Each structure stands twice: as C-alpha cells, then as structure tokens.
Amino acid sequence: AQKITQTQPGMFVQEKEAVTLDCTYDTSDQSYGLFWYKQPSSGEMIFLIYQGSYDEQNATEGRYSLNFQKARKSANLVISASQLGDSAMYFCAMREEGGGGSNYKLTFGKGTLLTVNP
Amino acid sequence: DTAVSQTPKYLVTQMGNDKSIKCEQNLGHDTMYWYKQDSKKFLKIMFSYNNKELIINETVPNRFSPKSPDKAHLNLHINSLELGDSAVYFCASSPQWISYEQYFGPGTRLTVT
C-alpha cells in the first residue's frame, strides 16, 4: 500500500490566489514527521515545511502552511498569495520515527505539478 | 559556497560500464543520503550513512555500492550499468540522523545508452 498519496497530478492557480495541494498518508506509527519539498524545473529539491505528529499547531513557514488533520491522516500544503516562481513540482513526504536510525527515511509521494498563471 | 555538491552533473555512458558519482557537503553534517528519481519523478531513498556508517540500505541491486571516506563525502559507485539505472541521483545531508531538515545536492542526471 502507498504510504503517501498525492491525488492531484497537476494543479493550476492564478497569481496572488491561494492554492491547496493534497496529501494523505498511511502509517501505524505514533511518531512520524510530514514534509513538503519543492522541485522547480531546474531540478533541485527545496525543503519547505515540516510537521511532527505530536505538534498541536499547524506548521507555517512564510507563505506556506501545512493543514495537518491527524484523524484524517492528511497533511495538505497551503500556499497563500501564489507567485509565478511557485510553479514547480511539489512532493509530500513522510518519515516514520518509531524505531532507530534505519527507520528515519523519507518516503515520498508522486508529486503534484503546480502551475501559477499570470 | 555550495552546501551539497555533486559531480558530475550529467553522465552519459553505455550499458555494462562502471561509473561513480561523488558527493560532498561542507555543512558539517553527520548524515548523508543517496536518492534516485526516476523518469516519472518518483523519488526513493537508496542509502544513508551516519558518521561514515551505513544506517539505511534499501532494496537496491548490489551493483550499487556507496562509500563514505569521511563524514563530508558520500560517493556512489555503480557497476555493470543497465538501461534502468537511467535516472537523476540526488545526494542529501542532514545535521544528524534524527534531524528533520535535509539539504539536497543539485542532482546527477545519469543516462545509460
């Protein structure tokens, strides 16, 4: 079974509008972390935001916020006030933290390609 | 100053050859990783080293052999290259194995013909 599911292969948003990228996850661990990464067309992977499973508040980093709904096992990324430079591939990832170092690995979803229109 | 660097950026080679990709980080991090991103953009971890010791070894053909001569370097050697090895290979590092932030290198695009 897939551990990370991103159901939107592609999304379009108008510049200055907000957009939500969906991510659901599957784990039986009580302790885990959820991540979002951005991959522009240039290819590098850029860390955006992290949410720990025990964090009660939703994580925020500038224009990025993570809408964490633990009971629904969802960790959607919200980008406010979209900019043209936000056009990129976005990956949701999870790290199960229930064991030792051998478990501390990122499992990625298949990504969502976001296009911001002027 | 590049935090995580990889060489080469592009690598084109023929089936059956042996090749290496080098990775260096100047962040003083303890933990380094190799990831493979396939043609469909799916990203999967291959290996992780912490203080030069292997801590993650995913189901990867043993033609792939990582080597960490010191904490700042993690190289990837691939023997008998196959067409299916064509992908982008990313090196990454993090301060410690429990740290959540990982810093990725620019990637090496390997094309096997």
Side-chain angles (χ1 to χ4, degrees):
Chain A
Q2 277 190 341
K3 290 198 171 184
I4 294 286
T5 302
Q6 294 180 252
T7 56
Q8 307 152 315
M11 286 281 285
F12 293 88
V13 65
Q14 286 299 121
E15 197 177 3
K16 298 180 187 174
E17 290 185 353
V19 62
T20 298
L21 305 184
D22 294 343
C23 173
T24 58
Y25 60 92
D26 182 26
T27 181
S28 55
D29 276 15
Q30 295 301 309
S31 179
Y32 53 89
L34 297 156
F35 303 74
W36 278 91
Y37 280 83
K38 173 184 178 181
Q39 187 175 40
S41 57
S42 50
E44 71 272 28
M45 293 288 291
I46 303 167
F47 166 74
L48 294 179
I49 197 165
Y50 166 83
Q51 177 88 40
S53 58
Y54 292 115
D55 295 340
E56 293 185 353
Q57 303 257 10
N58 285 342
T60 59
E61 288 286 348
R63 293 185 300 110
Y64 304 109
S65 60
L66 197 151
N67 185 358
F68 180 45
Q69 298 189 38
K70 197 169 182 176
R72 297 175 65 179
K73 292 191 174 177
S74 77
N76 298 340
L77 177 71
V78 180
I79 306 175
S80 62
S82 298
Q83 301 172 356
L84 295 178
D86 293 336
S87 293
M89 195 77 162
Y90 288 81
F91 293 96
C92 180
M94 177 176 64
R95 184 178 74 181
E96 291 165 311
E97 300 168 352
S102 61
N103 282 346
Y104 275 59
K105 58 188 179 188
L106 288 178
T107 301
F108 286 85
K110 293 187 176 180
T112 296
L113 182 62
L114 177 66
T115 303
V116 180
N117 293 319
Chain B
D1 289 342
T2 305
V4 182
S5 59
Q6 295 179 228
T7 52
K9 190 163 172 61
Y10 300 96
L11 185 52
V12 181
T13 188
Q14 290 185 325
M15 279 176 58
N17 284 349
D18 303 338
K19 289 293 178 186
S20 290
I21 306 171
K22 295 187 176 182
C23 178
E24 176 181 4
Q25 54 95 2
N26 62 6
L27 298 166
H29 289 173
D30 285 350
T31 310
M32 296 184 73
Y33 310 82
W34 276 112
Y35 290 87
K36 177 181 180 182
Q37 186 173 42
D38 64 22
S39 58
K40 294 184 179 179
K41 298 286 192 178
F42 186 58
L43 197 62
K44 189 168 166 39
I45 190 164
M46 300 172 70
F47 302 103
S48 174
Y49 272 71
N50 186 64
N51 280 320
K52 302 194 297 174
E53 287 194 24
L54 182 67
I55 57 170
I56 293 174
N57 184 353
E58 287 296 280
T59 309
V60 175
N62 57 16
R63 297 182 295 103
F64 289 80
S65 52
K67 281 191 173 52
S68 182
D70 55 59
K71 253 178 35 168
H73 296 84
L74 180 62
N75 304 324
L76 184 65
H77 188 75
I78 316 170
N79 288 328
S80 304
L81 278 154
E82 300 177 358
L83 293 177
D85 297 332
S86 295
V88 179
Y89 292 85
F90 285 98
C91 177
S93 74
S94 63
Q96 298 175 338
W97 61 269
I98 59 171
S99 305
Y100 65 77
E101 64 269 34
Q102 289 189 22
Y103 298 84
F104 281 73
T108 295
R109 182 174 293 279
L110 171 66
T111 304
V112 182
T113 62

